[in-house]
């Protein structure tokens, strides 16, 4: 393409001279091209010069406006790609333990806890099946909330079956128990030649595609509110004083996961006293969209000061048939202000008819041979809209802002 050179305007904007020829792609045929060339060569015709001025000014304005439009951010504050992307969360059935897999649109993953050991590698196999369903070849981060068997027990078998990038934990075991010491020793053998990240409150786990902020770890909690929160918590005053908890439960790593405006809270097995220390007298977290019910719905956790103050839209309880799902906790979660639905991984035998949700909202409704290890799956958008799917019957429900 020939060069087009614009000389500076003379005094009083006498004329614009355009040298060389005009690009062929600017015209439909040679006749139109010759007509424009004739106009350009006619320097002594004021009407043609005026047309050229108008043409040049119009052309420059078009370029300027196009540049502004391309540079301006979308009104929604997110890119077109983000509008189409989703976060996947797999609530894997490990029979009353925990194994929750997050998969971001960037292809990175974070697993919270690894379930139980033994049972012919049952829990590790279920986790790997979930990674395959998500198209993963490795797990980027494995977060161990604390060193109890139902959370850390499956780590050795899992590490044999899939590559793990970084292990995340709260540091040394803090419970005086032979079983817990043994489980921690097994974990140490697995991670001694791997990347390991020891976290404290306010740390962030760098999972590409979502934000993960640590709220609790090793018995400590946030020292200041996040995201501009910190309103007084009205539910603190009526909360009875809880007992001390010397176990690893109270040392749980708890995280807030954010994907756009979608917010998920998982505090592991954090118990009542630590919940109140975190949430009172002011709520440092604010409202959330999805609550992973602490401690499998056991009655050592889930104070109203925590659950009701968070105003979760949906809660998921990773209970077993005979582990967790305590009636009083079920009722606390069920009665939480603004809660649209509670989902369960198992029908709770202890809960009976009064303290279980409808079967469509339960992944596994039987025991023994009737327990097939079905999971619950969440698919969330950047705009806070999300769906929960029961893999047992493909029942699905969408929750909108």
């Amino acid at each position: 393409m020939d060069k087009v050179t614009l000389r500076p305007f003379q005094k009083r904007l006498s004329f614009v001279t355009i040298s060389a020829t005009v690009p062929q792609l600017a015209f439909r045929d040679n006749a139109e091209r010759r007509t424009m060339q004739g106009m350009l060569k006619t320097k002594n015709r004021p009407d043609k010069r005026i047309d050229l001025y108008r043409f040049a000014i119009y052309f420059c304005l078009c370029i300027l406006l196009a540049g502004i439009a391309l540079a301006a951010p979308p009104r929604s504050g997110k890119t077109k790609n983000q509008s189409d992307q989703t976060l996947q969360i797999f609530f894997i059935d490990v029979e009353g333990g925990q194994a929750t897999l997050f998969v971001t649109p960037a292809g990175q993953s974070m697993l919270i806890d690894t379930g139980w050991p033994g049972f012919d590698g049952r829990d590790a196999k279920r986790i790997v099946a979930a990674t395959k369903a998500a198209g993963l070849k490795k797990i980027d981060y494995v977060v161990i909330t604390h060193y109890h068997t139902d959370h850390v027990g499956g780590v050795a078998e899992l590490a044999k079956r899939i590559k793990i990038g970084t292990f995340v934990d709260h540091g040394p075991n803090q419970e005086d128990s032979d079983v817990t010491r043994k489980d921690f020793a097994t974990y140490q053998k697995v991670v001694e030649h791997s990347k390991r990240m020891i976290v404290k409150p306010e740390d962030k786990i760098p999972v590409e595609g979502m934000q993960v902020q640590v709220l609790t770890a090793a018995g400590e909690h946030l020292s200041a509110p996040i995201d501009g929160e910190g309103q007084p918590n009205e539910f603190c005053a009526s909360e009875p004083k809880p007992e001390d908890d010397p176990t690893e439960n109270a040392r749980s790593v708890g995280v807030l996961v954010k994907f756009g405006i979608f917010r998920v809270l998982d505090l592991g097995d954090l118990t009542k006293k630590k919940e109140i220390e975190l949430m009172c007298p002011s709520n440092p977290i604010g409202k959330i969209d999805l609550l992973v019910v602490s401690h499998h719905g056991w009655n050592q956790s889930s104070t109203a000061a925590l659950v009701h103050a968070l105003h979760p839209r949906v809660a998921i309880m990773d209970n077993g048939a005979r582990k967790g799902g305590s009636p009083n906790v079920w009722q606390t979660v069920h009665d939480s202000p603004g809660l649209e639905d509670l989902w369960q991984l198992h029908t709770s035998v202890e809960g009976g008819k009064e303290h279980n949700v409808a079967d469509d909202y339960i992944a596994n409704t039987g025991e023994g041979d009737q327990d097939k290890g079905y999971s619950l799956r969440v698919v969330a958008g950047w705009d806070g809209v999300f769906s929960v799917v029961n893999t047992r019957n493909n029942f699905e429900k969408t929750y909108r802002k």
Side-chain angles (χ1 to χ4, degrees):
M1 183 180 290
D2 295 325
K3 291 184 179 179
V4 178
T5 305
L6 294 183
R7 295 179 182 173
F9 283 107
Q10 307 295 326
K11 291 181 179 180
R12 294 188 178 182
L13 299 175
S14 59
F15 61 87
V16 175
T17 302
I18 300 181
S19 66
T21 60
V22 181
Q24 293 182 2
L25 293 177
F27 304 98
R28 290 170 293 185
D29 52 43
N30 288 333
E32 184 174 315
R33 175 182 171 78
R34 286 193 295 273
T35 299
M36 179 56 77
Q37 286 176 331
M39 292 172 60
L40 295 175
K41 292 178 181 178
T42 308
K43 297 181 179 180
N44 298 321
R45 296 175 60 181
D47 57 332
K48 299 301 181 182
R49 291 200 301 271
I50 291 172
D51 287 342
L52 288 175
Y53 295 152
R54 289 174 177 171
F55 173 81
I57 292 170
Y58 178 78
F59 180 78
C60 292
L61 284 174
C62 289
I63 294 297
L64 179 62
L65 292 172
I68 292 172
L70 290 173
R75 291 183 182 180
S76 64
K78 57 181 181 291
T79 66
K80 182 178 179 181
N81 287 339
Q82 286 173 333
S83 299
D84 298 332
Q85 292 174 344
T86 56
L87 172 70
Q88 298 183 75
I89 312 173
F90 297 80
F91 289 83
I92 302 161
D93 178 30
V94 289
E95 309 297 337
Q98 183 172 2
T100 308
L101 177 68
F102 293 75
V103 183
T104 76
Q108 285 224 315
S109 55
M110 178 180 77
L111 176 70
I112 299 181
D113 290 326
T114 61
W116 302 86
F119 305 101
D120 192 30
R122 177 198 64 198
D123 294 354
K125 290 176 182 177
R126 290 179 179 179
I127 293 168
V128 171
T131 65
K132 289 181 178 178
L136 301 175
K137 294 183 179 180
K138 63 176 286 190
I139 301 174
D140 294 287
Y141 294 88
V142 171
V143 178
I144 300 299
T145 60
H146 60 295
Y147 305 120
H148 283 172
T149 310
D150 56 331
H151 292 258
V152 71
V155 71
E157 291 166 354
L158 181 65
K160 294 176 184 177
R161 288 174 166 80
I162 190 169
K163 183 178 179 181
I164 296 171
T166 303
F167 290 92
V168 181
D169 59 68
H170 68 65
N173 167 47
Q174 297 185 25
E175 180 178 327
D176 184 14
S177 160
D178 289 340
V179 172
T180 307
R181 279 190 287 267
K182 179 181 177 182
D183 287 334
F184 180 61
T186 300
Y187 173 67
Q188 284 184 301
K189 289 181 181 179
V190 173
V191 303
E192 62 182 353
H193 299 299
S194 302
K195 292 182 180 179
R196 182 182 180 188
M197 180 180 180
I198 298 176
V199 293
K200 59 185 182 302
E202 299 172 11
D203 284 347
K204 294 183 179 180
I205 303 172
V207 184
E208 183 181 352
M210 66 183 185
Q211 298 178 49
V212 185
Q213 182 159 3
V214 179
L215 306 184
T216 62
E220 302 298 326
H221 59 80
L222 284 174
S223 60
I226 58 174
D227 299 336
E229 299 297 341
Q231 295 298 312
N233 186 346
E234 62 179 304
F235 301 100
C236 293
S238 59
E239 199 65 56
K241 185 178 179 179
E243 297 179 358
D244 289 335
D245 179 9
T247 74
E248 269 288 303
N249 290 326
R251 279 74 185 169
S252 289
V253 173
V255 296
L256 177 68
V257 175
K258 294 184 285 186
F259 179 72
I261 63 171
F262 178 68
R263 306 174 95 227
V264 186
L265 183 69
D266 187 335
L267 296 178
D269 282 3
L270 199 71
T271 42
K272 290 182 177 180
K273 185 174 182 179
K274 294 300 180 182
E275 289 178 351
I276 292 173
E277 290 176 2
L278 172 66
M279 296 296 294
C280 296
S282 299
N283 175 1
I285 302 169
K287 296 181 180 179
I288 62 170
D289 298 293
L290 178 60
L291 173 66
V292 182
V293 179
S294 300
H295 213 165
H296 325 287
W298 218 348
N299 57 17
Q300 297 175 347
S301 304
S302 297
T303 58
L306 173 75
V307 178
H308 290 192
L310 294 171
H311 288 263
R313 296 161 61 196
V314 172
I316 293 181
M317 184 182 292
D318 53 5
N319 63 304
R322 296 179 181 272
K323 184 172 181 291
S326 300
N328 60 336
V329 171
W330 187 97
Q331 198 66 53
T332 297
V333 176
H334 179 270
D335 295 344
S336 180
L339 187 80
E340 295 184 49
D341 285 309
L342 167 62
W343 297 68
Q344 301 172 208
L345 275 181
H346 279 268
T347 299
S348 169
V349 174
E350 182 185 2
K353 291 183 179 180
E354 297 297 321
H355 296 97
N356 278 288
V357 295
D359 282 359
D360 278 347
Y361 295 82
I362 301 176
N364 300 281
T365 55
E367 291 187 86
D369 293 340
Q370 301 300 315
D371 181 0
K372 303 299 182 182
Y374 292 108
S375 62
L376 296 173
R377 181 185 173 210
V378 173
V379 180
W382 195 263
D383 57 0
V385 176
F386 65 102
S387 299
V388 183
V389 181
N390 184 343
T391 63
R392 174 177 60 83
N393 55 7
N394 292 321
F395 174 72
E396 179 177 352
K397 188 168 180 180
T398 299
Y399 302 90
R400 304 185 184 277
K401 283 287 190 181

